[in-house]
Amino acid sequence: MDSPGHSEFSAEVSVALRVTDGALVVVDCIEGVCIQTENLLRQALAERVKPVLIVNKIDKCFKFDGEVVYNNISKAIERVNSVIVSYEDPVFSDFKICPLKGNVAFSAGIQGWAFTLRQFAQFYASRSSDVGETELLEKLWGDNFIDRKASRWTKEQTGSPTCARGFVHLCYEPIK
């Protein structure tokens, strides 16, 4: 089911959520989370439907630096999580949206593609005997930087031009 964000559809969304098993919350990676998206998310939580976040229109971000894109996506995830946390229900007490948990996907709907961090971790782990999928997955989000020249991971940006965030270097840049 597709539910436009316009407020005229909120009653229909509420009814539809009662018969669904899940909700895909689609957020524009540039615009972020809009007020109506928050309202629809609250309706899903009221019906105890655990959402999956789709960060869409990644292709429109290609004109921006990867670090800027990462920060925009992080802010959208934080905003979704703030709505979830504010909804005081024991079902959602430990539920968080996080790319490492597999409940966030990145997409370009108009081009018809999407990915999760697990897919990239599987891809890179299958080509390396040094790093396992789980270990690599954890390096693809958060404050994990790889210095390509030194071939080492750090928890902070070193300032070197060859140092980039794991997500930016191993996910965003190859797709871009």
Short mmCIF file of all heavy atoms in Angstrom, two decimals, residues 115-129 131-138 140 170-171:
data_model
loop_
_atom_site.label_atom_id
_atom_site.label_comp_id
_atom_site.label_asym_id
_atom_site.label_seq_id
_atom_site.Cartn_x
_atom_site.Cartn_y
_atom_site.Cartn_z
N PHE A 115 19.67 -0.84 -1.45
CA PHE A 115 20.66 -1.69 -0.78
C PHE A 115 20.57 -1.50 0.72
O PHE A 115 20.03 -0.51 1.22
CB PHE A 115 22.08 -1.39 -1.27
CG PHE A 115 22.61 -0.03 -0.87
CD1 PHE A 115 23.31 0.14 0.32
CD2 PHE A 115 22.43 1.07 -1.69
CE1 PHE A 115 23.80 1.39 0.69
CE2 PHE A 115 22.93 2.32 -1.33
CZ PHE A 115 23.62 2.47 -0.14
N THR A 116 21.09 -2.49 1.43
CA THR A 116 21.28 -2.39 2.87
C THR A 116 22.77 -2.50 3.14
O THR A 116 23.54 -2.94 2.27
CB THR A 116 20.53 -3.52 3.62
OG1 THR A 116 21.11 -4.77 3.25
CG2 THR A 116 19.04 -3.50 3.34
N LEU A 117 23.17 -2.15 4.33
CA LEU A 117 24.59 -2.26 4.67
C LEU A 117 25.04 -3.72 4.68
O LEU A 117 26.17 -4.03 4.34
CB LEU A 117 24.87 -1.61 6.02
CG LEU A 117 24.71 -0.10 6.07
CD1 LEU A 117 25.18 0.45 7.41
CD2 LEU A 117 25.43 0.60 4.94
N ARG A 118 24.14 -4.62 5.05
CA ARG A 118 24.49 -6.05 5.07
C ARG A 118 24.90 -6.51 3.67
O ARG A 118 25.82 -7.31 3.52
CB ARG A 118 23.34 -6.89 5.59
CG ARG A 118 23.69 -8.38 5.60
CD ARG A 118 22.86 -9.23 6.52
NE ARG A 118 22.76 -8.77 7.88
CZ ARG A 118 23.68 -8.95 8.83
NH1 ARG A 118 24.80 -9.56 8.54
NH2 ARG A 118 23.49 -8.52 10.06
N GLN A 119 24.24 -6.03 2.64
CA GLN A 119 24.59 -6.42 1.28
C GLN A 119 26.02 -5.99 0.95
O GLN A 119 26.76 -6.76 0.33
CB GLN A 119 23.61 -5.83 0.27
CG GLN A 119 22.24 -6.48 0.34
CD GLN A 119 21.25 -5.77 -0.54
OE1 GLN A 119 20.92 -4.62 -0.31
NE2 GLN A 119 20.78 -6.48 -1.55
N PHE A 120 26.39 -4.79 1.35
CA PHE A 120 27.76 -4.34 1.10
C PHE A 120 28.76 -5.14 1.94
O PHE A 120 29.84 -5.49 1.47
CB PHE A 120 27.91 -2.84 1.36
CG PHE A 120 27.63 -2.02 0.15
CD1 PHE A 120 26.36 -1.56 -0.12
CD2 PHE A 120 28.65 -1.71 -0.74
CE1 PHE A 120 26.10 -0.81 -1.26
CE2 PHE A 120 28.41 -0.96 -1.89
CZ PHE A 120 27.12 -0.52 -2.15
N ALA A 121 28.41 -5.43 3.19
CA ALA A 121 29.30 -6.23 4.04
C ALA A 121 29.50 -7.62 3.44
O ALA A 121 30.63 -8.13 3.41
CB ALA A 121 28.71 -6.34 5.45
N GLN A 122 28.44 -8.23 2.94
CA GLN A 122 28.56 -9.55 2.30
C GLN A 122 29.44 -9.46 1.06
O GLN A 122 30.28 -10.32 0.83
CB GLN A 122 27.18 -10.08 1.92
CG GLN A 122 26.35 -10.50 3.09
CD GLN A 122 24.89 -10.79 2.71
OE1 GLN A 122 24.40 -10.37 1.66
NE2 GLN A 122 24.20 -11.48 3.60
N PHE A 123 29.23 -8.42 0.25
CA PHE A 123 30.00 -8.23 -0.97
C PHE A 123 31.49 -8.13 -0.67
O PHE A 123 32.31 -8.84 -1.25
CB PHE A 123 29.51 -6.98 -1.71
CG PHE A 123 30.35 -6.60 -2.90
CD1 PHE A 123 30.21 -7.28 -4.09
CD2 PHE A 123 31.26 -5.56 -2.80
CE1 PHE A 123 30.99 -6.93 -5.20
CE2 PHE A 123 32.04 -5.21 -3.89
CZ PHE A 123 31.91 -5.90 -5.09
N TYR A 124 31.86 -7.24 0.26
CA TYR A 124 33.27 -7.03 0.56
C TYR A 124 33.88 -8.23 1.30
O TYR A 124 35.03 -8.59 1.06
CB TYR A 124 33.48 -5.75 1.35
CG TYR A 124 33.27 -4.50 0.52
CD1 TYR A 124 32.28 -3.57 0.84
CD2 TYR A 124 34.07 -4.24 -0.60
CE1 TYR A 124 32.10 -2.43 0.07
CE2 TYR A 124 33.88 -3.10 -1.38
CZ TYR A 124 32.89 -2.21 -1.04
OH TYR A 124 32.71 -1.08 -1.80
N ALA A 125 33.12 -8.84 2.20
CA ALA A 125 33.64 -10.00 2.94
C ALA A 125 33.90 -11.18 2.00
O ALA A 125 34.83 -11.95 2.22
CB ALA A 125 32.66 -10.40 4.04
N SER A 126 33.09 -11.32 0.96
CA SER A 126 33.29 -12.43 0.02
C SER A 126 34.56 -12.24 -0.80
O SER A 126 35.05 -13.19 -1.42
CB SER A 126 32.08 -12.57 -0.91
OG SER A 126 32.03 -11.49 -1.83
N ARG A 127 35.10 -11.04 -0.82
CA ARG A 127 36.31 -10.75 -1.59
C ARG A 127 37.56 -10.62 -0.72
O ARG A 127 38.62 -10.28 -1.21
CB ARG A 127 36.11 -9.48 -2.41
CG ARG A 127 35.23 -9.76 -3.62
CD ARG A 127 34.49 -8.53 -4.08
NE ARG A 127 33.68 -8.82 -5.26
CZ ARG A 127 32.52 -9.48 -5.24
NH1 ARG A 127 32.04 -9.93 -4.11
NH2 ARG A 127 31.84 -9.69 -6.35
N SER A 128 37.39 -10.85 0.58
CA SER A 128 38.53 -10.70 1.49
C SER A 128 38.51 -11.83 2.52
O SER A 128 37.47 -12.14 3.09
CB SER A 128 38.44 -9.36 2.22
OG SER A 128 39.37 -9.30 3.26
N SER A 129 39.66 -12.38 2.76
CA SER A 129 39.76 -13.41 3.79
C SER A 129 40.16 -12.80 5.12
O SER A 129 40.17 -13.48 6.14
CB SER A 129 40.77 -14.48 3.36
OG SER A 129 42.04 -13.88 3.16
N VAL A 131 38.70 -10.00 6.67
CA VAL A 131 37.63 -9.40 7.47
C VAL A 131 36.33 -10.18 7.25
O VAL A 131 35.94 -10.47 6.12
CB VAL A 131 37.41 -7.92 7.05
CG1 VAL A 131 36.35 -7.27 7.91
CG2 VAL A 131 38.70 -7.15 7.13
N GLY A 132 35.66 -10.50 8.36
CA GLY A 132 34.39 -11.20 8.28
C GLY A 132 33.23 -10.25 8.04
O GLY A 132 33.35 -9.03 8.25
N GLU A 133 32.12 -10.80 7.63
CA GLU A 133 30.94 -10.00 7.31
C GLU A 133 30.45 -9.17 8.50
O GLU A 133 30.17 -7.98 8.36
CB GLU A 133 29.81 -10.92 6.83
CG GLU A 133 28.55 -10.22 6.47
CD GLU A 133 27.44 -11.18 6.09
OE1 GLU A 133 27.72 -12.21 5.46
OE2 GLU A 133 26.29 -10.89 6.45
N THR A 134 30.36 -9.78 9.67
CA THR A 134 29.85 -9.07 10.85
C THR A 134 30.78 -7.93 11.24
O THR A 134 30.33 -6.82 11.54
CB THR A 134 29.69 -10.05 12.03
OG1 THR A 134 28.83 -11.11 11.62
CG2 THR A 134 29.10 -9.36 13.24
N GLU A 135 32.09 -8.19 11.23
CA GLU A 135 33.05 -7.16 11.58
C GLU A 135 33.00 -6.01 10.58
O GLU A 135 33.03 -4.83 10.95
CB GLU A 135 34.46 -7.76 11.59
CG GLU A 135 35.54 -6.78 11.99
CD GLU A 135 36.93 -7.39 11.91
OE1 GLU A 135 37.05 -8.61 11.70
OE2 GLU A 135 37.89 -6.62 12.02
N LEU A 136 32.88 -6.33 9.32
CA LEU A 136 32.82 -5.30 8.28
C LEU A 136 31.52 -4.51 8.37
O LEU A 136 31.53 -3.29 8.23
CB LEU A 136 32.96 -5.94 6.90
CG LEU A 136 33.15 -4.98 5.74
CD1 LEU A 136 34.32 -4.05 5.97
CD2 LEU A 136 33.35 -5.75 4.46
N LEU A 137 30.41 -5.20 8.64
CA LEU A 137 29.12 -4.52 8.78
C LEU A 137 29.21 -3.41 9.82
O LEU A 137 28.74 -2.29 9.60
CB LEU A 137 28.02 -5.52 9.15
CG LEU A 137 26.64 -4.94 9.44
CD1 LEU A 137 26.06 -4.29 8.19
CD2 LEU A 137 25.72 -6.02 9.96
N GLU A 138 29.82 -3.69 10.94
CA GLU A 138 29.93 -2.71 12.02
C GLU A 138 30.76 -1.49 11.63
O GLU A 138 30.60 -0.42 12.20
CB GLU A 138 30.50 -3.37 13.28
CG GLU A 138 29.54 -4.37 13.88
CD GLU A 138 30.15 -5.16 15.02
OE1 GLU A 138 31.31 -4.92 15.39
OE2 GLU A 138 29.44 -6.04 15.55
N LEU A 140 30.66 -0.12 8.64
CA LEU A 140 29.99 0.62 7.58
C LEU A 140 29.06 1.71 8.07
O LEU A 140 28.45 2.41 7.27
CB LEU A 140 29.22 -0.36 6.66
CG LEU A 140 30.08 -1.31 5.85
CD1 LEU A 140 29.21 -2.24 5.02
CD2 LEU A 140 31.05 -0.56 4.96
N LEU A 170 33.01 2.97 1.21
CA LEU A 170 32.67 1.62 0.75
C LEU A 170 31.25 1.45 0.23
O LEU A 170 30.96 0.45 -0.43
CB LEU A 170 32.94 0.60 1.88
CG LEU A 170 34.40 0.48 2.30
CD1 LEU A 170 34.53 -0.42 3.53
CD2 LEU A 170 35.26 -0.01 1.16
N CYS A 171 30.37 2.40 0.48
CA CYS A 171 28.97 2.30 0.00
C CYS A 171 28.61 3.45 -0.93
O CYS A 171 28.27 3.24 -2.08
CB CYS A 171 27.99 2.25 1.17
SG CYS A 171 28.26 0.91 2.32
#
